[in-house]
Amino acid sequence: MKYTEALSKAWSELDNIAKGRSHEVKFLNDNYTVDPGNRVILSLSCNVPAKDYLGILILHYIIKRLRGMPSIKGEWISFRELSGAEGYYNTFKKRVIDVIKRKYGERPDGILQLTERFNAKRSPLADVGVLVETFEEIPILITLWRGDEEFGPEANVLFD
């Protein structure tokens, strides 16, 4: 899949805001350096360029951070409740929620391995919940509910 146009727009937007200044960003369990002059995002753990889809996320995060990040409120909402996300829900569900449910639905405790891999925290919400800080000050909450005789397992990803 080509991400050329999205990357180009994000780089231009970042350049308009930050005027070529470099940045360091922590994303999950890796640190990245962002060099707008050369339009390179480099993983510091393995010294290779970030995949394009990660680069887009990283650039959008930096842009939002520079413009002003909303504060964390401790109020969890679903993807459907995010502003502007309505038309993307089915894709999000298919690529994220359904994948989590397929992988962990029958064994929800398996998701607790994220607490070690990504320095995440267990949450008391749901049968099994994991709080992951994706970017600095951008937590997500992954919730899993065990199935029973009437209903199959359920999963969701919530945002602060």
Side-chain angles (χ1 to χ4, degrees):
M1 182 178 280
K2 302 263 184 198
Y3 297 104
T4 309
E5 187 176 343
L7 274 168
S8 180
K9 284 174 131 177
W11 280 117
S12 294
E13 194 171 348
L14 180 61
D15 193 43
N16 288 335
I17 299 169
K19 306 296 181 214
R21 188 174 43 134
S22 63
H23 305 270
E24 280 201 23
V25 173
K26 182 173 192 243
F27 177 65
L28 294 175
N29 60 346
D30 201 352
N31 290 302
Y32 295 85
T33 184
V34 179
D35 177 0
N38 294 312
R39 291 192 168 192
V40 173
I41 301 171
L42 194 64
S43 163
L44 296 177
S45 68
C46 51
N47 204 33
V48 298
K51 302 277 187 196
D52 288 348
Y53 65 92
L54 289 177
I56 293 168
L57 289 174
I58 290 167
L59 291 173
H60 282 280
Y61 168 74
I62 293 169
I63 291 164
K64 188 66 178 172
R65 188 178 68 194
L66 291 171
R67 288 194 169 144
M69 192 72 69
S71 60
I72 295 173
K73 297 180 180 177
E75 299 171 10
W76 297 103
I77 60 172
S78 70
F79 187 85
R80 285 184 187 201
E81 297 171 274
L82 294 171
S83 177
E86 302 86 18
Y88 300 101
Y89 177 74
N90 288 336
T91 302
F92 179 79
K93 182 180 180 303
K94 184 173 106 180
R95 292 183 179 176
V96 179
I97 296 172
D98 290 349
V99 171
I100 292 169
K101 187 164 53 170
R102 255 191 324 274
K103 183 165 184 169
Y104 299 108
E106 297 302 319
R107 293 183 331 102
D109 290 331
I111 202 162
L112 295 175
Q113 65 185 302
L114 295 179
T115 58
E116 293 174 19
R117 185 171 178 200
F118 296 114
N119 197 24
K121 297 177 180 141
R122 187 164 186 175
S123 169
L125 300 177
D127 288 334
V128 180
V130 176
L131 182 63
V132 181
E133 187 170 72
T134 54
F135 288 102
E136 184 180 344
E137 297 183 32
I138 306 289
I140 63 166
L141 176 60
I142 302 169
T143 59
L144 289 158
W145 300 93
R146 290 183 173 86
D148 59 21
E149 307 82 40
E150 288 186 59
F151 300 101
E154 286 298 326
N156 207 346
V157 177
L158 303 173
F159 303 86
D160 189 298

